[in-house]
Amino acid sequence: MTSTDLANGTSLSIPAPASPYQGDIARYWDGEARPVNLRLGDVDGLYHHHYGVGDVDQDALGDAADSEYEKRLIAELHRLESAQTDVLLDQLGPVGRDDTVVDAGCGRGGSLVMAHQRFGCRAEGVTLSAKQADFANRRARELGMEEYVHARVCNMLATPFETGQAKASWNNESSMYVDLDDLFAEHSRILAPGGRYVTITGCWNPRYGQPSKWVSQINAHFECNIHSRREYLKAMADNRLVPQAIVDLTDATLPYWELRATSSLVTGIEEAFINSYRDGSFQYVLIAADRV
């Protein structure tokens, strides 16, 4: 066990990472404070760690020469990333107030809040980052949701949830940090029979032949290991998760990236996403599967 000081002045005991790589990822996200994540969340208090889908509302942006244009652009990027969460939640199926849902790799907790707001359910998140968990729990308290929304520092491959406890679970752009067989074995364990698992993820396209140079740049930028679409489907089949929907969101996410590339929040990775989506070497995919 290790400990870290939280924003409220308390100390939190944290399980030791299961591997040196997980330790590296925990340190990466503990130190992450990109304006692109924080300024978008400041729009309405929903802090995400994923990208957006949908067409850009050009009327909402207005004239690029206007002094308020950048502020409106940031609000539009945030609208698109919240729309992405809505797309994921749409696939969870019927979730009741007495049900539990699990976000594996919850970041600062934006999706947890949205899940509780929609379903009234208990929303549990896990993250390797103590700072992210502290941030998410602080926001839950500020919103008066702490009884229902909770994030903890935890390895998503070995969660503390009971077998069959979850009605639904998901990974939203977090599955590229783990082995897929181990990940889906854990989701299969915590899901009740008939429960729904959903992932939205970037994956390299097997038809391209190998991961492209753009995909390699994305891996290096985020210190992750992007999987192929084929690997997702095989690992699901091996772990009692039967796909019910596979949706290619590549065209739907391009407007987000093209808009972000014109903003003051560029991080340098925008070109790799745009070019890999355009040349077909990278795909943005939603897969919804039932636990059988």
Side-chain angles (χ1 to χ4, degrees):
M1 299 285 285
T2 60
S3 64
T4 188
D5 293 328
L6 303 182
N8 61 9
T10 62
S11 182
L12 175 68
S13 294
I14 305 169
S19 68
Y21 172 71
Q22 286 191 334
D24 288 344
I25 297 306
R27 285 186 288 273
Y28 176 93
W29 287 109
D30 276 342
E32 183 274 338
R34 290 192 182 93
V36 72
N37 290 322
L38 296 171
R39 287 187 62 191
L40 268 61
D42 287 342
V43 171
D44 62 4
L46 288 171
Y47 292 85
H48 299 297
H49 281 275
H50 57 254
Y51 309 125
V53 296
D55 294 329
V56 173
D57 185 345
Q58 297 294 339
D59 291 337
L61 289 178
D63 188 347
D66 190 286
S67 62
E68 293 292 304
Y69 177 78
E70 183 70 10
K71 181 179 178 180
R72 291 195 295 268
L73 185 152
I74 289 170
E76 182 63 7
L77 288 173
H78 181 62
R79 184 186 70 81
L80 295 175
E81 65 175 0
S82 288
Q84 188 260 29
T85 298
D86 278 326
V87 168
L88 187 153
L89 297 179
D90 287 344
Q91 293 290 333
L92 294 184
V95 176
R97 295 183 63 85
D98 295 330
D99 291 326
T100 297
V101 299
V102 175
D103 182 353
C106 65
R108 290 185 171 96
S111 297
L112 295 173
V113 171
M114 290 181 67
H116 173 67
Q117 287 175 331
R118 179 184 291 207
F119 302 117
C121 62
R122 180 175 298 278
E124 297 276 358
V126 300
T127 172
L128 287 173
S129 168
K131 288 190 176 179
Q132 286 185 344
D134 181 40
F135 190 104
N137 290 329
R138 186 170 66 251
R139 284 296 298 138
R141 289 192 298 272
E142 292 167 352
L143 294 168
M145 297 180 180
E146 66 270 27
E147 183 180 350
Y148 301 97
V149 174
H150 181 249
R152 70 186 76 203
V153 181
C154 179
N155 176 3
M156 71 172 74
L157 304 181
T159 67
F161 307 116
E162 296 178 6
T163 297
Q165 179 178 346
K167 175 71 172 182
S169 62
W170 67 85
N171 287 92
N172 197 351
E173 296 182 17
S174 56
S175 55
M176 65 285 298
Y177 288 100
V178 293
D179 176 86
L180 291 181
D181 275 312
D182 292 341
L183 176 67
F184 294 147
E186 182 64 359
H187 279 286
S188 183
R189 184 189 70 79
I190 68 172
L191 280 169
R196 173 62 60 90
Y197 169 77
V198 179
T199 185
I200 295 182
T201 186
C203 55
W204 66 269
N205 186 354
R207 292 185 178 181
Y208 192 82
Q210 290 289 333
S212 67
K213 66 177 182 180
W214 305 116
V215 172
S216 296
Q217 286 182 21
I218 296 169
N219 275 334
H221 183 84
F222 293 106
E223 299 183 23
C224 64
N225 179 33
I226 293 166
H227 307 289
S228 72
R229 178 169 168 169
R230 182 181 299 154
E231 289 173 287
Y232 278 93
L233 297 177
K234 181 181 184 303
M236 286 183 179
D238 290 342
N239 289 283
R240 304 179 65 86
L241 295 171
V242 179
Q244 304 298 312
I246 302 173
V247 183
D248 190 334
L249 297 171
T250 306
D251 289 342
T253 198
L254 257 174
Y256 166 90
W257 283 102
E258 291 166 344
L259 181 63
R260 177 169 147 173
T262 69
S263 76
S264 63
L265 301 177
V266 293
T267 63
I269 200 61
E270 289 77 12
E271 180 185 22
F273 276 92
I274 291 170
N275 287 336
S276 60
Y277 285 143
R278 286 176 176 170
D279 71 15
S281 63
F282 195 42
Q283 298 173 305
Y284 197 55
V285 176
L286 178 150
I287 306 174
D290 285 347
R291 164 66 163 89
V292 298

